[in-house]
Amino acid sequence: MTQSLAKNIRPITDHGANVLYQHGTLALLVPGLLEGTTTIGELLEHGDTGIGTGEGLDGELIILDGVAYKIGQTGVAERVPNDFTMPFANSHRAAFQYQCEREDIGLKELNDRIVEANGRANTFFSVIVHGTFSFVKTRAVIKQQAPYPTLLEVADRQAIFLRHDVTGTMLGYFSPMMFHGAAVAGFHEHFLSDDHTFGGHVLDAVLGRGKIYSQVFDTLVTHLPVDDPNYRNHDFSQDNIGEAITSAEGDTHADHSA
């Protein structure tokens, strides 16, 4: 375990590394607006690192070093082509700075310590953790077909994966509470094992030993799917956005069984 250097981490403006790019919002997923409205190729124009989900919530996406992977209902990662479409995704140009090393720490405590050390509860930032995890629990939503169900209905149609003693990368974005709806307040994290045989949306984890890097953003660019008539015409006042996102993104099965 090392002393945190989080206080030294500041936005890096070179190459636009201070900008977090987001296509769509989590709010539009709530009523089932799941059409793909951007492509991996378009997303990669704004960054080489990111997370998202495919059309119809087709798998959990993680982008590392400019390569996009999808973890679907088998739990195995596969590369996706540039024409793969998505209703929601984040990306940025990686310029992570070393923060600290941690061992034998659960996901909630780890995330709480990161926010506390950064002193950035009202700031967007990204965290990447690489190391050996003694336990990881992930999920991947099973691809849906039009007419699409709501986000809460889809939350019951997901595959759950458990893995012990796995080495890999956890990539996450932290969003301030005031932006809940546009994103999920707090951390939204995806995982990819080094051998690409396991990954998904992180529900729970225990970091055995790993290094933590952070990247702070002072600019959020949100690109909206204004050419999609379903998005343009939908009345979001009828949707319980905040509660639905909190319920769908969390873990309702927090056991550590294998």
Side-chain angles (χ1 to χ4, degrees):
M1 187 170 68
T2 59
Q3 182 177 2
S4 176
L5 302 178
K7 297 296 184 183
N8 300 327
I9 296 175
R10 297 288 183 271
I12 296 175
T13 57
D14 292 350
H15 309 295
N18 60 315
V19 178
L20 172 59
Y21 178 83
Q22 178 171 301
H23 174 76
T25 69
L26 277 182
L28 64 82
L29 305 183
V30 170
L33 300 178
L34 307 182
E35 291 288 340
T37 48
T38 195
T39 66
I40 285 289
E42 291 167 339
L43 188 68
L44 289 175
E45 294 177 5
H46 302 275
D48 53 23
T49 304
I51 62 177
T53 188
E55 179 173 278
L57 300 184
D58 181 14
E60 309 291 339
L61 297 173
I62 183 168
I63 303 170
L64 299 171
D65 299 321
V67 180
Y69 302 90
K70 180 187 77 170
I71 296 92
Q73 63 188 70
T74 65
V76 177
E78 60 181 279
R79 290 183 63 165
V80 292
N82 282 345
D83 60 357
F84 184 85
T85 62
M86 303 160 289
F88 174 81
N90 290 110
S91 71
H92 74 278
R93 293 181 172 86
F96 289 97
Q97 301 171 69
Y98 176 77
Q99 180 166 331
C100 62
E101 187 171 318
R102 291 286 178 263
E103 58 185 39
D104 298 326
I105 186 170
L107 182 65
K108 183 181 186 307
E109 183 181 359
L110 173 63
N111 285 343
D112 288 346
R113 286 192 181 184
I114 289 172
V115 175
E116 181 181 1
N118 285 352
R120 296 186 181 279
N122 296 320
T123 305
F124 285 91
F125 62 88
S126 182
V127 171
I128 197 163
V129 181
H130 184 266
T132 299
F133 292 75
S134 55
F135 169 79
V136 183
K137 180 179 183 179
T138 65
R139 69 108 190 273
V141 175
I142 298 171
K143 183 179 179 180
Q144 305 299 301
Q145 304 295 329
Y148 295 116
T150 67
L151 185 63
L152 283 179
E153 290 171 337
V154 173
D156 291 329
R157 307 171 189 177
Q158 58 187 12
I160 302 293
F161 312 106
L162 305 175
R163 186 71 65 87
H164 293 273
D165 301 322
V166 56
T167 300
T169 299
M170 183 172 72
L171 170 67
Y173 290 96
F174 178 88
S175 303
M177 179 60 71
M178 69 184 80
F179 286 89
H180 191 56
V184 57
F187 283 96
H188 182 179
E189 294 158 315
H190 287 191
F191 185 84
L192 180 66
S193 65
D194 284 355
D195 62 7
H196 298 174
T197 63
F198 171 75
H201 174 100
V202 179
L203 296 174
D204 197 10
V206 177
L207 176 63
R209 187 181 186 90
K211 294 181 178 180
I212 299 159
Y213 302 81
S214 290
Q215 183 171 348
V216 177
F217 310 108
D218 59 18
T219 303
L220 171 68
V221 173
T222 304
H223 180 256
L224 298 174
V226 296
D227 293 329
D228 180 4
N230 292 325
Y231 170 75
R232 288 202 311 270
N233 298 325
H234 184 76
D235 180 8
F236 285 94
S237 69
Q238 304 302 309
D239 303 311
N240 193 346
I241 292 171
E243 186 175 314
I245 290 174
T246 299
S247 177
E249 291 298 311
D251 182 10
T252 58
H253 310 87
D255 65 88
H256 289 191
S257 60

